[in-house]
Amino acid sequence: MFFTFLIGPAGSGKSTLASAFSDWLLDQGFDVALVNLDPGAEWLPYRPDVDARDYVTVQEVMERYDLGPNGAMIAASDLLAVKAIDLREEISGLKADYAIIDTPGQMELFAFRASGLHIAQTLTKGGGSAILFLADVVLASKPTGLISTLFLAASVQFRFLFPQIMVLTKSDLLKQEELTYLVHLIENPEELALIAEESLKGVYREMAMRFCNMLSDLNLPIPVTHVSAVKNEGLDRLYSILQRISAGGEDFVVHY
Ligand SMILES: Nc1nc2c(ncn2[C@@H]2O[C@H](COP(=O)(O)OP(=O)(O)O)[C@@H](O)[C@H]2O)c(=O)[nH]1
Ligand SMILES: [Mg+2]
């Protein structure tokens, strides 16, 4: 089973893409285990095959421990981590080709607490895996938005050390030439450094330029693509990138 985690800021389109991409994989004849790892999800655009809410819910934690919504979300993520082995058994019992894993709306709960990393490592032990880092195209279409998105993507990559794909979501909201240019800038960060040089000042200009030039020098194996989950655009391209990673694993692992 190949594990694909969808990670990205709240509203970047994780749940919508998890749903659209698993439908697409099912249409291609694959077996899919669609997993919801958000114990706080009130509504999902799909019916998960494995659901964190069968183990713990934010509502129940709020009541039992007399916590507010924020504290309960943190506690629920930590309580879920204790159930990581059970989750793993439930998922592997489905014997699917792909596990598509939707992560909590607020990405910091999964990416920047010990519990998320523990769950990801427990689920994927012995199997192939990749992270789809989702970024909303509208946010990424301004230079500072794009640079901060790249910082965040690097931070997630550094946290998990899994092969990672940069997935620009909601491609239906930009024109084709704008999308092509955005992908070009991400693939050629030295050009983004030049934009930062013109559009920023002082220490911010310096920081952005050095970061972009560092990305350019390192030439990391991070594929970039764009999708629209509402128009089902780009799902075939996303699949072929995942297939390359699952076949050629090590080439996509960044060794720090
Ligand atoms: N235009 C457009 N909107 C989208 C797309 N994918 C998701 N959305 C919208 O973006 C919002 C957040 O999506 P959601 O999947 O809940 O994001 P999550 O918080 O990352 O799980 C919802 O209103 C979705 O309808 C897309 O491909 N195109
Ligand atoms: Mg969601």
Side-chain angles (χ1 to χ4, degrees), residues 27-181:
D27 281 350
Q28 309 302 309
F30 293 110
D31 285 327
V32 178
L34 179 52
V35 181
N36 165 47
L37 279 189
D38 186 355
E42 283 180 7
W43 179 84
L44 292 171
Y46 56 84
R47 266 177 65 107
D49 300 308
V50 176
D51 195 343
R53 295 172 301 180
D54 292 340
Y55 295 82
V56 55
T57 68
V58 168
Q59 193 59 37
E60 158 191 301
V61 170
M62 277 174 75
E63 287 160 19
R64 188 179 317 154
Y65 301 99
D66 197 18
L67 290 169
N70 277 337
M73 269 198 273
I74 293 168
S77 304
D78 293 353
L79 288 168
L80 187 64
V82 178
K83 303 283 185 186
I85 302 254
D86 299 329
L87 270 170
R88 177 190 160 92
E89 276 172 14
E90 192 185 346
I91 297 168
S92 59
L94 295 175
K95 304 209 180 309
D97 302 305
Y98 289 92
I100 301 298
I101 304 187
D102 186 18
T103 63
Q106 284 77 4
M107 70 174 278
E108 66 272 27
L109 287 174
F110 191 72
F112 300 120
R113 286 189 62 79
S115 50
L117 182 62
H118 174 72
I119 292 172
Q121 287 175 340
T122 306
L123 296 188
T124 58
K125 205 166 274 172
S129 56
I131 287 174
L132 307 184
F133 181 83
L134 272 56
D136 188 316
V137 281
V138 176
L139 199 75
S141 58
K142 305 258 176 331
T144 48
L146 179 53
I147 292 167
S148 63
T149 294
L150 294 175
F151 270 118
L152 196 57
S155 172
V156 166
Q157 185 155 33
F158 212 80
R159 179 89 182 114
F160 290 93
L161 311 176
F162 285 10
Q164 187 161 308
I165 304 171
M166 169 68 94
V167 181
L168 298 166
T169 57
K170 314 184 190 180
S171 64
D172 53 289
L173 299 178
L174 284 194
K175 296 196 192 93
Q176 183 58 47
E177 60 267 25
E178 293 171 314
L179 274 175
T180 309
Y181 182 57

Side-chain angles (χ1 to χ4, degrees), residues 159-221:
R159 179 89 182 114
F160 290 93
L161 311 176
F162 285 10
Q164 187 161 308
I165 304 171
M166 169 68 94
V167 181
L168 298 166
T169 57
K170 314 184 190 180
S171 64
D172 53 289
L173 299 178
L174 284 194
K175 296 196 192 93
Q176 183 58 47
E177 60 267 25
E178 293 171 314
L179 274 175
T180 309
Y181 182 57
L182 198 51
V183 170
H184 174 81
L185 279 183
I186 299 172
E187 287 176 341
N188 298 278
E190 64 285 355
E191 288 189 29
L192 188 56
L194 296 176
I195 295 175
E197 186 172 23
E198 282 167 19
S199 57
L200 292 168
K201 287 195 183 115
V203 72
Y204 294 114
R205 173 165 65 189
E206 198 59 32
M207 197 169 154
M209 286 182 68
R210 288 195 198 189
F211 176 63
C212 293
N213 284 325
M214 176 200 75
L215 290 178
S216 173
D217 291 345
L218 291 175
N219 195 21
L220 302 173

